[in-house]
Amino acid sequence: MKEAQCRVRFAPSPTGPLHIGGVRTALYNYLFARRLGGTMILRIEDTDQNRFVPGAEAYIVNSLAWCGFGFDESPEKGGPHAPYRQSERSAIYKTYIQQLIDSGHAYYAFDTEASLNEMREKAKESGNHSFQYDHQTRKGLQNSLSLPEEVWKNYMAEGVPYVVRIKIPENEQVTVHDLIRGEVLVSTANLDDKVLFKSDGLPTYHLANVVDDYLMKITHVIRGEEWLPSAPLHVLLYRFFGWEDIMPKFAHLPLILKPDGNGKLSKRDGDRLGFPVFPTAWKDPASGEIYSGYRESGYLPEAVVNILAHLGWNPGTEQELFSMEELISQFSLERVGKHGSKFDPEKAKWFNHQYMQKKSEEELILLLQPWLEKHQIDPSVASPAYLASVIALVKERASLVPDLWNNAWFFFIRPETYDQQVYQKIWQPGTTGWITDFALAVEKMADFNKDSLHDLVQEYTTSTGVKMGQLMNPLRLLMVGSNQGPGMMDLAATLGKEEFLARTEIGLQKLTSGAGGN
Ligand code: GLU
């Protein structure tokens, strides 16, 4: 096979938002395809009507687009193998299931859910906890292998609901060649006769997935480890259809584990442990519950991509930050490990901090913009030059996008309250007088900038014996309302003389009249 013909697919079921494990699967497929100059397909696997969640497909498409990667063929874009939504392909699966029935690899089963549950319960009572529909039990169940032909044909004629099950051979070896795990050998004795086609006229995941991978000429199936147990069944289906020679290569990606390494990172872990597990926020349409997303929490898509790239793949070098182009050129399945990778929320933040630092001033200003709008900051207060100097002062301390505003709001809004704890701690009997004197000196300054302020502070502290901190700490409280913020000289110089003096006056008045506490 020529490498250029490499075709991979990301095949989510629209049963809810896409967990970051799913985003990672999509990413690895994308990197793999791009590296080989192949094709990346989005196929929506929506044949399970009971689990269909409205809005989930759009969520998947939009959140992956936010992450920065898209598809060559998809329900939206179309392509040579359209439709790409399985619910629109039901006629196709009917032909293929018939083929399996005709060749004796599948059979009709009429057992109701209730009767199977009853049998399961009975088996449990007699100590068998793993009752399954298989080569041993099928003989005693209601199907076209156990029932006389006229009986089951009659059932069908009468419209008794039925499913179609695969007839798993009794004792054969199935080998799954996995590009990450090597050979995985399974005996069919342990497999059950899975339902391939349901009574609602739609296929199950297994049949639709294999038929579509075949029809869409998929060369590599790259998916999560949770699908490894299904792989032997899929290999058998390829065998029964006579497609074994052109079966795609499998690669089952390792799990993403909880931060403590105890089990798979689940949907609920994020909000429970204080970090998102979804690329973008999701509101459950049934419960109204909102799950937080990386985007809304202030992560940059390039950071999310990097976080995920490192959860399972290892570049084999010390390099930690990659552009998408670098990931494409370096990614390989050989460097994907077998073992689960722990999700580290602190490292995730670290990645974001790094990418925040890589952003240009203009880009960061754009990221700050929504807050300026929300707080209706007058454009005259936020000129491009002013914004640029504010960003330069707060950038380094910003790990997540909202940190930009949280570290900078006081450049745009005067404090209304003053931290009383700080006030009690730093305000001394002489403070009001020192500040008033210092402000008078500032008022006389012809040039108000960082250097001239610095000189004035030197002069003032030397001539009065007032210590640097005795002047700077109260000034900061007056400017910011707390003990937060960048270097005092930078802060004052950026605010400008007029604002510096205004805040000093207002603050002194409020604090000394006892009106400004919080
Ligand atoms: N529809 C499956 C899922 O939801 C696809 C698994 C596969 O890639 O084969 O993840």
Side-chain angles (χ1 to χ4, degrees):
M1 183 198 321
K2 273 202 256 119
E3 289 199 323
Q5 290 171 338
C6 146
R7 290 174 60 82
V8 297
R9 84 309 193 262
F10 178 55
S13 298
T15 53
L18 197 55
H19 176 281
I20 50 166
V23 182
R24 185 197 57 175
T25 300
L27 173 68
Y28 286 16
N29 272 285
Y30 175 81
L31 297 175
F32 184 81
R34 287 290 172 270
R35 167 106 200 259
L36 298 181
T39 304
M40 164 82 164
I41 295 154
L42 174 67
R43 185 173 72 223
I44 297 293
E45 302 208 323
D46 56 351
T47 58
D48 189 347
Q49 307 272 292
N50 298 326
R51 298 184 61 217
F52 179 81
V53 173
E57 181 184 326
Y59 173 93
I60 291 167
V61 171
N62 295 337
S63 59
L64 292 180
W66 176 72
C67 289
F69 51 93
F71 299 89
D72 304 307
E73 298 171 22
S74 72
E76 270 181 319
K77 270 198 161 173
H81 302 281
Y84 291 91
R85 222 175 260 120
Q86 289 186 328
S87 58
E88 294 162 20
R89 300 170 63 82
S90 49
I92 298 175
Y93 310 119
K94 282 201 179 115
T95 324
Y96 284 96
I97 195 66
Q98 197 55 50
Q99 202 174 311
L100 288 182
I101 295 167
D102 294 345
S103 60
H105 292 299
Y107 61 91
Y108 302 106
F110 303 90
D111 318 78
T112 61
E113 216 25 68
S115 71
L116 288 175
N117 281 340
E118 205 175 300
M119 258 171 265
R120 231 166 258 134
E121 284 310 312
K122 273 203 191 126
K124 246 191 231 166
E125 277 162 27
S126 55
N128 170 12
H129 288 266
S130 56
F131 169 85
Q132 58 179 23
Y133 213 117
D134 61 16
H135 65 95
Q136 276 179 327
T137 57
R138 74 166 84 101
K139 297 180 195 97
L141 295 162
Q142 299 286 306
N143 54 62
S144 57
L145 298 178
S146 64
L147 297 167
E149 189 170 336
E150 64 208 67
V151 175
W152 66 261
K153 284 210 161 144
N154 234 344
Y155 279 173
M156 297 204 39
E158 284 165 9
V160 174
Y162 64 86
V163 298
V164 180
R165 290 181 180 269
I166 186 169
K167 186 180 172 201
I168 296 281
E170 252 183 70
N171 206 355
E172 276 181 31
Q173 293 299 316
V174 185
T175 310
V176 179
H177 297 276
D178 188 278
L179 294 173
I180 295 169
R181 278 145 226 279
E183 286 199 347
V184 183
L185 217 78
V186 184
S187 161
T188 57
N190 302 321
L191 303 179
D192 64 328
D193 291 355
K194 283 262 180 305
V195 173
L196 297 178
F197 208 82
K198 297 170 290 169
S199 50
D200 62 3
L202 286 171
T204 57
Y205 153 72
H206 303 291
L207 180 77
N209 185 271
V210 166
V211 165
D212 283 346
D213 281 350
Y214 164 74
L215 291 175
M216 295 180 180
K217 300 191 169 31
I218 299 303
T219 58
H220 296 80
V221 166
I222 304 169
R223 62 185 172 192
E225 184 180 309
E226 61 273 31
W227 300 104
L228 188 59
S230 301
L233 171 68
H234 297 176
V235 171
L236 277 177
L237 282 171
Y238 282 101
R239 191 180 295 172
F240 294 164
F241 278 121
W243 303 332
E244 226 171 344
D245 294 353
I246 44 164
M247 185 164 66
K249 294 196 167 64
F250 291 103
H252 289 91
L253 306 174
L255 295 176
I256 299 182
L257 305 174
K258 295 181 203 298
D260 63 6
N262 252 331
K264 187 178 161 182
L265 184 68
S266 82
K267 238 163 79 151
R268 306 216 162 252
D269 283 335
D271 289 324
R272 189 172 63 82
L273 300 171
F275 58 86
V277 291
F278 297 113
T280 59
W282 165 258
K283 183 173 175 189
D284 188 312
S287 66
E289 205 173 337
I290 294 180
Y291 295 89
S292 64
Y294 276 88
R295 180 178 63 190
E296 293 72 13
S297 304
Y299 283 82
L300 301 169
E302 48 273 53
V304 173
V305 162
N306 250 261
I307 294 165
L308 296 179
H310 288 277
L311 280 172
W313 172 73
N314 154 14
T317 62
E318 295 294 301
Q319 186 177 350
E320 292 198 280
L321 307 180
F322 292 82
S323 66
M324 193 64 105
E325 287 64 38
E326 286 172 316
L327 284 175
I328 290 170
S329 70
Q330 295 189 34
F331 182 81
S332 74
L333 289 172
E334 286 80 51
R335 295 214 142 271
V336 174
K338 287 195 206 35
H339 304 294
S341 312
K342 280 189 229 168
F343 181 81
D344 178 349
E346 285 313 310
K347 187 77 186 183
K349 257 194 207 155
W350 177 87
F351 270 114
N352 208 64
H353 182 259
Q354 299 298 314
Y355 282 94
M356 292 286 285
Q357 306 316 305
K358 280 175 177 269
K359 290 264 177 220
S360 68
E361 241 158 45
E362 293 75 35
E363 287 170 315
L364 292 172
I365 290 173
L366 277 180
L367 290 173
L368 183 64
Q369 213 60 44
W371 280 272
L372 298 176
E373 279 160 27
K374 187 171 146 206
H375 292 275
Q376 296 176 338
I377 303 303
D378 195 304
S380 66
V381 181
S383 69
Y386 187 70
L387 285 171
S389 40
V390 170
I391 287 293
L393 290 178
V394 302
K395 171 178 174 170
E396 208 179 294
R397 277 190 282 168
S399 290
L400 302 176
V401 176
D403 295 341
L404 289 174
W405 172 255
N406 295 335
N407 292 333
W409 66 268
F410 45 80
F411 283 105
F412 307 99
I413 301 174
R414 288 180 182 162
E416 299 226 326
T417 56
Y418 300 85
D419 188 321
Q420 281 301 304
Q421 263 184 358
V422 177
Y423 175 65
Q424 300 297 345
K425 200 168 145 207
I426 62 167
W427 216 269
Q428 297 173 352
T431 304
T432 306
W434 301 328
I435 300 290
T436 313
D437 286 351
F438 184 74
L440 280 174
V442 168
E443 224 176 317
K444 293 195 196 110
M445 288 171 84
D447 268 335
F448 181 88
N449 56 43
K450 194 176 162 184
D451 291 337
S452 57
L453 255 175
H454 190 265
D455 292 345
L456 185 70
V457 170
Q458 285 294 340
E459 220 178 281
Y460 184 82
T461 47
T462 324
S463 65
T464 57
V466 172
K467 295 212 181 63
M468 190 81 147
Q470 289 177 309
L471 192 60
M472 294 291 116
N473 295 337
L475 281 175
R476 176 182 298 282
L477 182 64
L478 294 168
M479 297 302 121
V480 178
S482 72
N483 54 2
Q484 308 290 301
M488 187 53 214
M489 304 295 175
D490 284 315
L491 174 61
T494 307
L495 286 172
K497 182 172 167 181
E498 211 178 303
E499 186 62 18
F500 175 89
L501 290 172
R503 288 190 188 197
T504 307
E505 193 186 325
I506 299 169
L508 274 185
Q509 209 209 342
K510 281 197 185 166
L511 277 170
T512 49
S513 70
N518 69 354

